[in-house]
Amino acid sequence: MSRYLSERHARLEAYTPGEQPKDRRYIKLNTNESPFPPSPGVQAAVSEEVGRLQLYSDPLCRDLNRKAAEVYGVGEDHILMTNGSDEILQFAFMAFGDESRPFAFPDLTYGFYSVFADLHGIPYTRVPLREDLGICVEDYDGHHGPIVIANPNAPTGRLLPPDAIDYLVRTHRDAPVIIDEAYIDFGGESAIPLVDRYDNLLVTRTFSKSFSMAGARLGFGIAQPTLIRDLDLMKYSTNPYNVNRMTMAAGVAALRDIDYYRENCRRIMKTRERVAKQLRTMGFFVTDSMANFLFVRHGQVGGEALYHALRARGILVRHFDTPAIRDFNRITVGSDDEMNALLKAITEVLDDKGYPIKENV
Ligand SMILES: *Cc1c(COP(=O)(O)O)cnc(C)c1O
């Protein structure tokens, strides 16, 4: 750091994205990207838009909002499009948190929440998960201030049902409750229908996972217009053109091709269930994930050892250097071929380490 860095950021610890090494070709199962390319409609829409790049993008995102409003069954004034969902999450921290409005979120969840809070000087409480790595919404009783919950949660994949979300929103009417639905398309039920009932609910979504567009950076929030206006204030105070022309065109096209993405999600869910079952047979503890990743622990081989052994075999998975989950790995559900390569590599690793797979463990 230079001597010019402001004092308030001197101890800031930034978010660490999953690695993207270039030294060889890897099977990438470490950042929850989709194994499927965007739909042909997206590719065509983006090429066409390139010819208009001399013009700023529409700060109101009208075409995209109209299409999203139709798909998600809400009014156009209930939507705010952002540069990835990370941006709308950051807007929520900026808009709703301060010294007297501390945030609460699970102690094991998406790593960016604490980074945003630290960046903006917002205090926060980390609420422990239960023994089964699930979230218990009653554990948030008595917290006064905004709450952010990833549903399904990351990196556990555990899903809360709509009545649990309803409870959380209903019992915290004094502050916004943010439900981060980055992984909801992989089998969960969305909280979007609750938005009409509660003016303190913000649901956030991303095109990065189920829409195969991590590289385009597109996300959005759905809430009542009063809350959307608070977030808009943050957008117009930082970057009014936060969604670029190519990404906007890609988003409209992706929503038109929604059946293609729904089918991809079904394939990923099917692969997820098959691989989870196989890993359990191989002696792994596997959480009941409703996301496009599995969170797994082998009794004998540690999370870091497995990460390195798979990396040496050309497969990247995620290992978190956090004491509570040091024995775990988070593995993105890729294509069937990718997952077969993973299972084969894991079998070799277990064999090498002298833990041959027993049937019916
Ligand atoms: C991936 C992810 C996001 C953010 O994704 P963007 O690429 O910024 O849209 C947000 N929350 C969770 C829990 C995620 O896993």
Side-chain angles (χ1 to χ4, degrees):
M1 300 298 165
S2 84
R3 62 199 165 96
Y4 306 112
L5 181 65
S6 92
E7 200 151 316
R8 68 181 194 284
H9 295 319
R11 278 183 307 279
L12 187 62
E13 273 195 56
Y15 177 75
T16 317
E19 60 182 331
Q20 313 271 6
K22 300 273 181 234
D23 58 323
R24 59 178 279 192
R25 272 180 68 99
Y26 287 95
I27 294 179
K28 275 194 87 266
L29 305 176
N30 66 328
T31 47
N32 298 343
E33 291 145 319
S34 172
F36 307 113
S39 59
V42 166
Q43 311 207 14
V46 170
S47 341
E48 203 195 307
E49 197 62 26
V50 171
R52 291 189 278 272
L53 282 186
Q54 72 275 28
L55 304 172
Y56 278 110
S57 60
D58 175 13
L60 297 171
C61 296
R62 277 165 292 196
D63 294 345
L64 186 49
N65 280 353
R66 195 173 308 125
K67 191 66 200 165
E70 180 192 316
V71 168
Y72 294 100
V74 298
E76 287 170 44
D77 55 357
H78 285 54
I79 303 174
L80 178 62
M81 291 287 165
T82 52
N83 193 307
S85 61
D86 287 339
E87 189 178 48
I88 193 141
L89 291 166
Q90 174 168 219
F91 287 169
F93 277 85
M94 291 162 70
F96 306 129
D98 64 27
E99 276 297 331
S100 63
R101 295 174 180 85
F103 264 72
F105 42 81
D107 63 346
L108 185 58
T109 190
Y110 187 40
F112 234 134
Y113 303 152
S114 59
V115 175
F116 288 143
D118 288 339
L119 175 62
H120 297 290
I122 302 162
Y124 53 92
T125 314
R126 291 176 188 270
V127 180
L129 294 184
R130 291 301 179 100
E131 189 131 30
D132 62 358
L133 299 181
I135 291 168
C136 175
V137 286
E138 275 109 11
D139 293 345
Y140 293 77
D141 288 356
H143 173 78
H144 295 283
I147 294 171
V148 55
I149 299 281
N151 193 42
N153 195 17
T156 62
R158 298 288 313 268
L159 178 78
L160 286 173
D163 61 320
I165 302 298
D166 189 302
Y167 175 88
L168 205 58
V169 184
R170 189 174 71 234
T171 54
H172 293 88
R173 297 309 302 273
D174 57 345
V177 173
I178 300 134
I179 305 298
D180 176 351
E181 294 191 350
Y183 301 105
I184 200 75
D185 289 333
F186 301 100
E189 197 176 323
S190 176
I192 290 174
L194 297 178
V195 163
D196 261 349
R197 220 176 309 156
Y198 300 113
D199 68 357
N200 62 322
L201 172 61
L202 169 66
V203 178
T204 67
R205 290 292 191 96
T206 176
F207 280 74
S208 294
K209 280 74 187 226
S210 54
F211 283 96
S212 302
M213 272 172 44
R217 314 306 305 130
L218 185 62
F220 59 101
I222 293 187
Q224 290 193 15
T226 46
L227 219 55
I228 292 292
R229 279 197 289 273
D230 297 342
L231 298 161
D232 241 349
L233 184 64
M234 303 299 112
K235 160 175 151 157
Y236 283 95
S237 304
T238 50
N239 186 8
Y241 307 107
N242 59 339
V243 181
N244 72 66
R245 275 187 171 273
M246 291 171 292
T247 294
M248 201 141 15
V252 173
L255 291 172
R256 279 198 197 114
D257 293 341
I258 194 142
D259 291 341
Y260 165 84
Y261 297 99
R262 288 196 175 127
E263 177 56 25
N264 287 348
C265 289
R266 277 193 287 274
R267 286 163 74 180
I268 287 172
M269 285 153 65
K270 197 164 161 225
T271 306
R272 175 185 71 205
E273 297 313 311
R274 170 176 75 88
V275 174
K277 202 166 147 198
Q278 277 170 287
L279 288 172
R280 287 187 182 115
T281 315
M282 294 161 85
F284 282 86
F285 165 75
V286 183
T287 61
D288 284 321
S289 172
M290 288 296 266
N292 68 337
F293 55 81
L294 293 165
F295 195 52
V296 310
R297 180 187 61 205
H298 191 273
Q300 283 101 23
V301 183
E304 194 173 3
L306 185 59
Y307 159 80
H308 284 295
L310 290 175
R311 198 179 196 282
R313 288 169 171 77
I315 300 176
L316 295 177
V317 300
R318 192 86 194 252
H319 176 253
F320 298 93
D321 206 13
T322 309
I325 53 166
R326 127 161 355 123
D327 295 337
F328 282 83
N329 295 100
R330 190 196 69 192
I331 304 175
T332 304
V333 178
S335 67
D336 275 313
D337 284 350
E338 289 173 327
M339 299 318 272
N340 291 341
L342 169 85
L343 290 168
K344 182 162 169 280
I346 291 180
T347 307
E348 284 171 21
V349 173
L350 295 181
D351 266 346
D352 283 0
K353 300 220 183 262
Y355 305 117
I357 292 154
K358 301 178 217 80
E359 286 304 319
N360 307 317
V361 176

